[in-house]
Amino acid sequence: MAAPSDEEGAVGPRCHHRPTAMLDVPFLPFCAFLGTLGLLCVAMVGTWCQHWRGGFSLDGSSRTFNWHPVLMVTGLVVLYGAAALVYRIPNTWSGPKLPWKVLHGSLALGSFVLTVLGLAAVFRFHNAQGTPNMYSLHSWMGLATVLLFSCQWAAGFGAFLLPWAPAWLRVLYKPIHVFFGSTILVLSVASCASGINEKLFFSLKNGTMQYKLLPAEAVFANTLGLLILIFGVLVVAALARPSWKRPDSDSPDSRQ
């Protein structure tokens, strides 16, 4: 087979790189869009619980349960996604890494605190109403996500923030930490989507408000689920994009 001519070779690379250039989005506008989308998800889950589910309280009623979806979406999805993207900020690519480590760990810790409060809300509601705990796939998936999250945070704190962690341990654990970080976000999105669906099935079952009739609440909550899914997909895509990864400098990072 004959080798391609210079003219053919010149056309080939241009055709190959054109789609990449079209999809090249600057990080900061992408991050602004993602932040807006995250805030929209939080606003929508709050509106859903306030407008259709009766609001919020701490009396053990269904209004206590309403804290659960709000805190889970805010902590386990939106705030966790923000923590995951800290090292994609261009300002983190030079200079000391410790302040960014502290910010990453603090955002993850805040996410974990909100998540635990969300679990406490649903357990209090179930116990007050005499409803069994941990019987659905949603509850199993959610608890597994939180347990994995707690292990991830503790291991990351020990490996990357404690000064006596050896360099070889950081190098060994870093890809594991990154992998499970994305895995936890995927599980969080799946848990929230299944939880929204489960709540709609339980709540919309009478008369003209049946879920299968797609009332306004179902449309609103389904849209919320899709937006949460889009948010999670975009965060994972940003984490996987090679051009947005912090340049790897093994020795400065490990000797810091």
Side-chain angles (χ1 to χ4, degrees):
M1 181 176 180
S5 64
D6 293 340
E7 186 174 340
E8 290 173 340
V11 173
R14 282 201 301 269
C15 293
H16 176 72
H17 288 295
R18 188 175 297 132
T20 304
M22 291 175 62
L23 295 176
D24 189 18
V25 179
F27 175 78
L28 292 181
F30 175 86
C31 195
F33 171 77
L34 202 56
T36 302
L37 181 59
L39 291 176
L40 178 61
C41 290
V42 174
M44 286 186 67
V45 69
T47 301
W48 176 35
C49 293
Q50 179 66 43
H51 180 72
W52 279 287
R53 296 290 103 215
F56 304 90
S57 75
L58 298 175
D59 58 3
S61 66
S62 60
R63 293 183 298 168
T64 299
F65 172 86
N66 289 341
W67 286 107
H68 175 67
V70 171
L71 292 172
M72 288 303 190
V73 171
T74 304
L76 203 54
V77 176
V78 177
L79 194 57
Y80 184 88
L85 289 176
V86 162
Y87 290 119
R88 299 304 186 268
I89 301 174
N91 292 342
T92 67
W93 293 4
S94 60
K97 199 173 179 182
L98 182 60
W100 300 103
K101 287 183 179 182
V102 173
L103 177 61
H104 173 74
S106 299
L107 289 174
L109 180 60
S111 170
F112 183 72
V113 170
L114 292 181
T115 300
V116 170
L117 292 176
L119 286 180
V122 70
F123 280 127
R124 178 170 182 180
F125 166 71
H126 283 172
N127 294 335
Q129 301 298 319
T131 304
N133 293 305
M134 304 304 301
Y135 64 89
S136 66
L137 176 60
H138 163 69
S139 61
W140 291 5
M141 187 186 307
L143 186 60
T145 304
V146 175
L147 292 176
L148 185 60
F149 185 10
S150 62
C151 295
Q152 169 87 341
W153 193 92
F157 179 81
F160 300 119
L161 279 175
L162 294 182
W164 53 77
W168 65 264
L169 178 62
R170 296 181 181 182
V171 173
L172 178 66
Y173 178 63
K174 181 179 177 181
I176 300 174
H177 186 76
V178 172
F179 170 78
F180 278 106
S182 298
T183 300
I184 291 168
L185 180 61
V186 171
L187 291 174
S188 300
V189 170
S191 298
C192 288
S194 63
I196 290 171
N197 195 244
E198 182 179 285
K199 182 62 177 177
L200 290 175
F201 272 118
F202 286 160
S203 302
L204 303 181
K205 54 187 179 182
N206 296 319
T208 58
M209 294 300 292
Q210 294 182 62
Y211 189 18
K212 65 181 180 181
L213 299 179
L214 203 65
E217 180 181 356
V219 174
F220 189 89
N222 286 347
T223 303
L224 168 63
L226 287 177
L227 292 179
I228 292 173
L229 177 61
I230 293 171
F231 179 88
V233 168
L234 290 179
V235 172
V236 172
L239 294 175
R241 183 161 185 162
S243 61
W244 287 351
K245 291 182 179 179
R246 188 181 194 273
D248 197 9
S249 52
D250 293 332
S251 55
D253 181 23
S254 58
R255 288 200 301 262
Q256 182 175 316

